[in-house]
PDB file of all heavy atoms in Angstrom:
ATOM      1  N   PHE A  94       6.121  23.371 -16.501  1.00 80.00           N
ATOM      2  CA  PHE A  94       7.204  22.631 -17.161  1.00 80.00           C
ATOM      3  C   PHE A  94       6.641  21.363 -17.784  1.00 80.00           C
ATOM      4  O   PHE A  94       5.611  20.833 -17.370  1.00 80.00           O
ATOM      5  CB  PHE A  94       8.320  22.298 -16.163  1.00 80.00           C
ATOM      6  CG  PHE A  94       8.011  21.154 -15.242  1.00 80.00           C
ATOM      7  CD1 PHE A  94       8.461  19.877 -15.511  1.00 80.00           C
ATOM      8  CD2 PHE A  94       7.254  21.356 -14.087  1.00 80.00           C
ATOM      9  CE1 PHE A  94       8.172  18.828 -14.665  1.00 80.00           C
ATOM     10  CE2 PHE A  94       6.963  20.322 -13.234  1.00 80.00           C
ATOM     11  CZ  PHE A  94       7.429  19.045 -13.517  1.00 80.00           C
ATOM     12  N   ASP A  95       7.344  20.902 -18.810  1.00 77.00           N
ATOM     13  CA  ASP A  95       7.041  19.628 -19.448  1.00 77.00           C
ATOM     14  C   ASP A  95       8.349  19.021 -19.933  1.00 77.00           C
ATOM     15  O   ASP A  95       9.430  19.411 -19.471  1.00 77.00           O
ATOM     16  CB  ASP A  95       6.036  19.806 -20.593  1.00 77.00           C
ATOM     17  CG  ASP A  95       6.505  20.839 -21.608  1.00 77.00           C
ATOM     18  OD1 ASP A  95       7.718  21.132 -21.646  1.00 77.00           O
ATOM     19  OD2 ASP A  95       5.658  21.346 -22.373  1.00 77.00           O
ATOM     20  N   ASP A  96       8.263  18.096 -20.863  1.00 76.00           N
ATOM     21  CA  ASP A  96       9.466  17.410 -21.341  1.00 76.00           C
ATOM     22  C   ASP A  96      10.418  18.345 -22.082  1.00 76.00           C
ATOM     23  O   ASP A  96      11.619  18.056 -22.190  1.00 76.00           O
ATOM     24  CB  ASP A  96       9.076  16.245 -22.258  1.00 76.00           C
ATOM     25  CG  ASP A  96       8.287  15.175 -21.519  1.00 76.00           C
ATOM     26  OD1 ASP A  96       8.437  15.103 -20.274  1.00 76.00           O
ATOM     27  OD2 ASP A  96       7.519  14.442 -22.159  1.00 76.00           O
ATOM     28  N   THR A  97       9.894  19.454 -22.598  1.00 79.00           N
ATOM     29  CA  THR A  97      10.737  20.383 -23.353  1.00 79.00           C
ATOM     30  C   THR A  97      11.419  21.416 -22.463  1.00 79.00           C
ATOM     31  O   THR A  97      12.293  22.126 -22.920  1.00 79.00           O
ATOM     32  CB  THR A  97       9.909  21.105 -24.427  1.00 79.00           C
ATOM     33  OG1 THR A  97       8.867  21.857 -23.785  1.00 79.00           O
ATOM     34  CG2 THR A  97       9.282  20.100 -25.385  1.00 79.00           C
ATOM     35  N   GLY A  98      10.987  21.527 -21.196  1.00 80.00           N
ATOM     36  CA  GLY A  98      11.605  22.483 -20.286  1.00 80.00           C
ATOM     37  C   GLY A  98      10.591  23.329 -19.546  1.00 80.00           C
ATOM     38  O   GLY A  98       9.400  23.006 -19.511  1.00 80.00           O
ATOM     39  N   GLU A  99      11.062  24.426 -18.945  1.00 84.00           N
ATOM     40  CA  GLU A  99      10.207  25.308 -18.161  1.00 84.00           C
ATOM     41  C   GLU A  99       9.775  26.509 -18.998  1.00 84.00           C
ATOM     42  O   GLU A  99      10.481  26.931 -19.910  1.00 84.00           O
ATOM     43  CB  GLU A  99      10.954  25.803 -16.913  1.00 84.00           C
ATOM     44  CG  GLU A  99      11.421  24.695 -15.991  1.00 84.00           C
ATOM     45  CD  GLU A  99      12.214  25.242 -14.807  1.00 84.00           C
ATOM     46  OE1 GLU A  99      12.364  26.478 -14.715  1.00 84.00           O
ATOM     47  OE2 GLU A  99      12.690  24.438 -13.988  1.00 84.00           O
ATOM     48  N   TYR A 100       8.622  27.059 -18.671  1.00 83.00           N
ATOM     49  CA  TYR A 100       8.148  28.253 -19.349  1.00 83.00           C
ATOM     50  C   TYR A 100       7.207  29.009 -18.419  1.00 83.00           C
ATOM     51  O   TYR A 100       6.591  28.441 -17.521  1.00 83.00           O
ATOM     52  CB  TYR A 100       7.444  27.908 -20.667  1.00 83.00           C
ATOM     53  CG  TYR A 100       6.465  26.762 -20.584  1.00 83.00           C
ATOM     54  CD1 TYR A 100       5.121  27.003 -20.311  1.00 83.00           C
ATOM     55  CD2 TYR A 100       6.882  25.443 -20.778  1.00 83.00           C
ATOM     56  CE1 TYR A 100       4.222  25.958 -20.229  1.00 83.00           C
ATOM     57  CE2 TYR A 100       5.983  24.397 -20.694  1.00 83.00           C
ATOM     58  CZ  TYR A 100       4.651  24.652 -20.420  1.00 83.00           C
ATOM     59  OH  TYR A 100       3.759  23.618 -20.331  1.00 83.00           O
ATOM     60  N   HIS A 101       7.117  30.318 -18.643  1.00 89.00           N
ATOM     61  CA  HIS A 101       6.307  31.184 -17.794  1.00 89.00           C
ATOM     62  C   HIS A 101       4.833  31.110 -18.188  1.00 89.00           C
ATOM     63  O   HIS A 101       4.497  31.115 -19.373  1.00 89.00           O
ATOM     64  CB  HIS A 101       6.790  32.633 -17.883  1.00 89.00           C
ATOM     65  CG  HIS A 101       8.113  32.850 -17.218  1.00 89.00           C
ATOM     66  ND1 HIS A 101       8.242  33.108 -15.875  1.00 89.00           N
ATOM     67  CD2 HIS A 101       9.378  32.836 -17.718  1.00 89.00           C
ATOM     68  CE1 HIS A 101       9.509  33.254 -15.566  1.00 89.00           C
ATOM     69  NE2 HIS A 101      10.235  33.094 -16.667  1.00 89.00           N
ATOM     70  N   ILE A 102       3.974  31.079 -17.171  1.00 86.00           N
ATOM     71  CA  ILE A 102       2.531  31.026 -17.415  1.00 86.00           C
ATOM     72  C   ILE A 102       2.064  32.290 -18.124  1.00 86.00           C
ATOM     73  O   ILE A 102       1.248  32.233 -19.047  1.00 86.00           O
ATOM     74  CB  ILE A 102       1.779  30.840 -16.086  1.00 86.00           C
ATOM     75  CG1 ILE A 102       2.176  29.512 -15.426  1.00 86.00           C
ATOM     76  CG2 ILE A 102       0.275  30.889 -16.296  1.00 86.00           C
ATOM     77  CD1 ILE A 102       1.562  29.282 -14.064  1.00 86.00           C
ATOM     78  N   ALA A 103       2.586  33.455 -17.696  1.00 86.00           N
ATOM     79  CA  ALA A 103       2.162  34.727 -18.290  1.00 86.00           C
ATOM     80  C   ALA A 103       2.464  34.766 -19.785  1.00 86.00           C
ATOM     81  O   ALA A 103       1.658  35.276 -20.582  1.00 86.00           O
ATOM     82  CB  ALA A 103       2.857  35.885 -17.579  1.00 86.00           C
ATOM     83  N   GLU A 104       3.614  34.207 -20.171  1.00 86.00           N
ATOM     84  CA  GLU A 104       3.979  34.200 -21.590  1.00 86.00           C
ATOM     85  C   GLU A 104       3.024  33.324 -22.390  1.00 86.00           C
ATOM     86  O   GLU A 104       2.598  33.695 -23.491  1.00 86.00           O
ATOM     87  CB  GLU A 104       5.417  33.690 -21.743  1.00 86.00           C
ATOM     88  CG  GLU A 104       5.922  33.693 -23.169  1.00 86.00           C
ATOM     89  CD  GLU A 104       7.352  33.180 -23.280  1.00 86.00           C
ATOM     90  OE1 GLU A 104       7.998  33.004 -22.223  1.00 86.00           O
ATOM     91  OE2 GLU A 104       7.807  32.968 -24.412  1.00 86.00           O
ATOM     92  N   ILE A 105       2.680  32.167 -21.825  1.00 84.00           N
ATOM     93  CA  ILE A 105       1.744  31.268 -22.507  1.00 84.00           C
ATOM     94  C   ILE A 105       0.373  31.911 -22.634  1.00 84.00           C
ATOM     95  O   ILE A 105      -0.285  31.828 -23.673  1.00 84.00           O
ATOM     96  CB  ILE A 105       1.647  29.933 -21.745  1.00 84.00           C
ATOM     97  CG1 ILE A 105       3.015  29.237 -21.708  1.00 84.00           C
ATOM     98  CG2 ILE A 105       0.610  29.023 -22.396  1.00 84.00           C
ATOM     99  CD1 ILE A 105       3.591  28.935 -23.067  1.00 84.00           C
ATOM    100  N   LEU A 106      -0.073  32.589 -21.562  1.00 86.00           N
ATOM    101  CA  LEU A 106      -1.373  33.252 -21.596  1.00 86.00           C
ATOM    102  C   LEU A 106      -1.394  34.366 -22.634  1.00 86.00           C
ATOM    103  O   LEU A 106      -2.373  34.532 -23.372  1.00 86.00           O
ATOM    104  CB  LEU A 106      -1.711  33.804 -20.211  1.00 86.00           C
ATOM    105  CG  LEU A 106      -2.077  32.771 -19.140  1.00 86.00           C
ATOM    106  CD1 LEU A 106      -2.281  33.456 -17.793  1.00 86.00           C
ATOM    107  CD2 LEU A 106      -3.308  31.975 -19.525  1.00 86.00           C
ATOM    108  N   ASN A 107      -0.311  35.147 -22.700  1.00 87.00           N
ATOM    109  CA  ASN A 107      -0.244  36.225 -23.689  1.00 87.00           C
ATOM    110  C   ASN A 107      -0.262  35.680 -25.113  1.00 87.00           C
ATOM    111  O   ASN A 107      -0.905  36.256 -25.997  1.00 87.00           O
ATOM    112  CB  ASN A 107       1.014  37.064 -23.472  1.00 87.00           C
ATOM    113  CG  ASN A 107       0.926  37.938 -22.235  1.00 87.00           C
ATOM    114  OD1 ASN A 107      -0.164  38.320 -21.818  1.00 87.00           O
ATOM    115  ND2 ASN A 107       2.065  38.250 -21.636  1.00 87.00           N
ATOM    116  N   ASN A 108       0.439  34.565 -25.330  1.00 86.00           N
ATOM    117  CA  ASN A 108       0.435  33.942 -26.657  1.00 86.00           C
ATOM    118  C   ASN A 108      -0.968  33.460 -27.028  1.00 86.00           C
ATOM    119  O   ASN A 108      -1.402  33.597 -28.175  1.00 86.00           O
ATOM    120  CB  ASN A 108       1.423  32.776 -26.704  1.00 86.00           C
ATOM    121  CG  ASN A 108       2.865  33.244 -26.706  1.00 86.00           C
ATOM    122  OD1 ASN A 108       3.162  34.382 -27.064  1.00 86.00           O
ATOM    123  ND2 ASN A 108       3.777  32.379 -26.297  1.00 86.00           N
ATOM    124  N   GLU A 109      -1.665  32.897 -26.030  1.00 85.00           N
ATOM    125  CA  GLU A 109      -3.015  32.399 -26.292  1.00 85.00           C
ATOM    126  C   GLU A 109      -3.978  33.558 -26.546  1.00 85.00           C
ATOM    127  O   GLU A 109      -4.863  33.463 -27.405  1.00 85.00           O
ATOM    128  CB  GLU A 109      -3.503  31.557 -25.111  1.00 85.00           C
ATOM    129  CG  GLU A 109      -4.880  30.936 -25.296  1.00 85.00           C
ATOM    130  CD  GLU A 109      -4.966  30.013 -26.497  1.00 85.00           C
ATOM    131  OE1 GLU A 109      -3.921  29.474 -26.922  1.00 85.00           O
ATOM    132  OE2 GLU A 109      -6.084  29.838 -27.024  1.00 85.00           O
ATOM    133  N   ILE A 110      -3.804  34.662 -25.809  1.00 86.00           N
ATOM    134  CA  ILE A 110      -4.637  35.850 -26.037  1.00 86.00           C
ATOM    135  C   ILE A 110      -4.413  36.380 -27.448  1.00 86.00           C
ATOM    136  O   ILE A 110      -5.373  36.715 -28.167  1.00 86.00           O
ATOM    137  CB  ILE A 110      -4.326  36.930 -24.986  1.00 86.00           C
ATOM    138  CG1 ILE A 110      -4.829  36.487 -23.607  1.00 86.00           C
ATOM    139  CG2 ILE A 110      -4.975  38.256 -25.377  1.00 86.00           C
ATOM    140  CD1 ILE A 110      -4.408  37.396 -22.485  1.00 86.00           C
ATOM    141  N   ASN A 111      -3.145  36.463 -27.864  1.00 86.00           N
ATOM    142  CA  ASN A 111      -2.827  36.936 -29.220  1.00 86.00           C
ATOM    143  C   ASN A 111      -3.394  35.981 -30.270  1.00 86.00           C
ATOM    144  O   ASN A 111      -3.879  36.420 -31.324  1.00 86.00           O
ATOM    145  CB  ASN A 111      -1.318  37.059 -29.395  1.00 86.00           C
ATOM    146  CG  ASN A 111      -0.731  38.164 -28.535  1.00 86.00           C
ATOM    147  OD1 ASN A 111      -1.416  39.133 -28.194  1.00 86.00           O
ATOM    148  ND2 ASN A 111       0.535  38.028 -28.170  1.00 86.00           N
ATOM    149  N   ARG A 112      -3.341  34.691 -29.973  1.00 85.00           N
ATOM    150  CA  ARG A 112      -3.872  33.690 -30.903  1.00 85.00           C
ATOM    151  C   ARG A 112      -5.383  33.836 -31.043  1.00 85.00           C
ATOM    152  O   ARG A 112      -5.918  33.812 -32.166  1.00 85.00           O
ATOM    153  CB  ARG A 112      -3.514  32.293 -30.402  1.00 85.00           C
ATOM    154  CG  ARG A 112      -4.093  31.154 -31.232  1.00 85.00           C
ATOM    155  CD  ARG A 112      -3.635  29.803 -30.696  1.00 85.00           C
ATOM    156  NE  ARG A 112      -4.334  28.715 -31.333  1.00 85.00           N
ATOM    157  CZ  ARG A 112      -5.518  28.258 -30.951  1.00 85.00           C
ATOM    158  NH1 ARG A 112      -6.126  28.798 -29.905  1.00 85.00           N
ATOM    159  NH2 ARG A 112      -6.097  27.270 -31.579  1.00 85.00           N
ATOM    160  N   GLN A 113      -6.073  33.998 -29.922  1.00 87.00           N
ATOM    161  CA  GLN A 113      -7.525  34.155 -29.972  1.00 87.00           C
ATOM    162  C   GLN A 113      -7.917  35.449 -30.672  1.00 87.00           C
ATOM    163  O   GLN A 113      -8.907  35.494 -31.405  1.00 87.00           O
ATOM    164  CB  GLN A 113      -8.100  34.120 -28.550  1.00 87.00           C
ATOM    165  CG  GLN A 113      -8.011  32.771 -27.858  1.00 87.00           C
ATOM    166  CD  GLN A 113      -8.779  31.675 -28.579  1.00 87.00           C
ATOM    167  OE1 GLN A 113      -9.800  31.940 -29.211  1.00 87.00           O
ATOM    168  NE2 GLN A 113      -8.287  30.455 -28.500  1.00 87.00           N
ATOM    169  N   ASN A 114      -7.146  36.512 -30.434  1.00 86.00           N
ATOM    170  CA  ASN A 114      -7.427  37.783 -31.108  1.00 86.00           C
ATOM    171  C   ASN A 114      -7.252  37.667 -32.619  1.00 86.00           C
ATOM    172  O   ASN A 114      -8.004  38.267 -33.396  1.00 86.00           O
ATOM    173  CB  ASN A 114      -6.528  38.886 -30.559  1.00 86.00           C
ATOM    174  CG  ASN A 114      -6.972  39.382 -29.202  1.00 86.00           C
ATOM    175  OD1 ASN A 114      -8.143  39.263 -28.840  1.00 86.00           O
ATOM    176  ND2 ASN A 114      -6.040  39.920 -28.431  1.00 86.00           N
ATOM    177  N   GLU A 115      -6.240  36.894 -33.027  1.00 86.00           N
ATOM    178  CA  GLU A 115      -6.021  36.692 -34.463  1.00 86.00           C
ATOM    179  C   GLU A 115      -7.164  35.890 -35.071  1.00 86.00           C
ATOM    180  O   GLU A 115      -7.631  36.183 -36.175  1.00 86.00           O
ATOM    181  CB  GLU A 115      -4.693  35.970 -34.683  1.00 86.00           C
ATOM    182  CG  GLU A 115      -4.306  35.873 -36.148  1.00 86.00           C
ATOM    183  CD  GLU A 115      -2.879  35.368 -36.352  1.00 86.00           C
ATOM    184  OE1 GLU A 115      -2.076  35.479 -35.398  1.00 86.00           O
ATOM    185  OE2 GLU A 115      -2.578  34.881 -37.451  1.00 86.00           O
ATOM    186  N   ILE A 116      -7.638  34.878 -34.327  1.00 86.00           N
ATOM    187  CA  ILE A 116      -8.775  34.085 -34.792  1.00 86.00           C
ATOM    188  C   ILE A 116     -10.026  34.958 -34.908  1.00 86.00           C
ATOM    189  O   ILE A 116     -10.767  34.896 -35.891  1.00 86.00           O
ATOM    190  CB  ILE A 116      -9.024  32.901 -33.838  1.00 86.00           C
ATOM    191  CG1 ILE A 116      -7.894  31.873 -33.967  1.00 86.00           C
ATOM    192  CG2 ILE A 116     -10.363  32.233 -34.137  1.00 86.00           C
ATOM    193  CD1 ILE A 116      -7.973  30.732 -32.981  1.00 86.00           C
TER     194      ILE A 116
END
Side-chain angles (χ1 to χ4, degrees):
F94 77 97
D95 55 20
D96 296 336
T97 61
E99 301 177 1
Y100 45 92
H101 289 275
I102 298 176
E104 182 180 350
I105 299 301
L106 288 176
N107 288 333
N108 288 338
E109 182 59 25
I110 290 172
N111 293 333
R112 176 178 171 275
Q113 291 299 328
N114 284 336
E115 187 170 339
I116 290 175

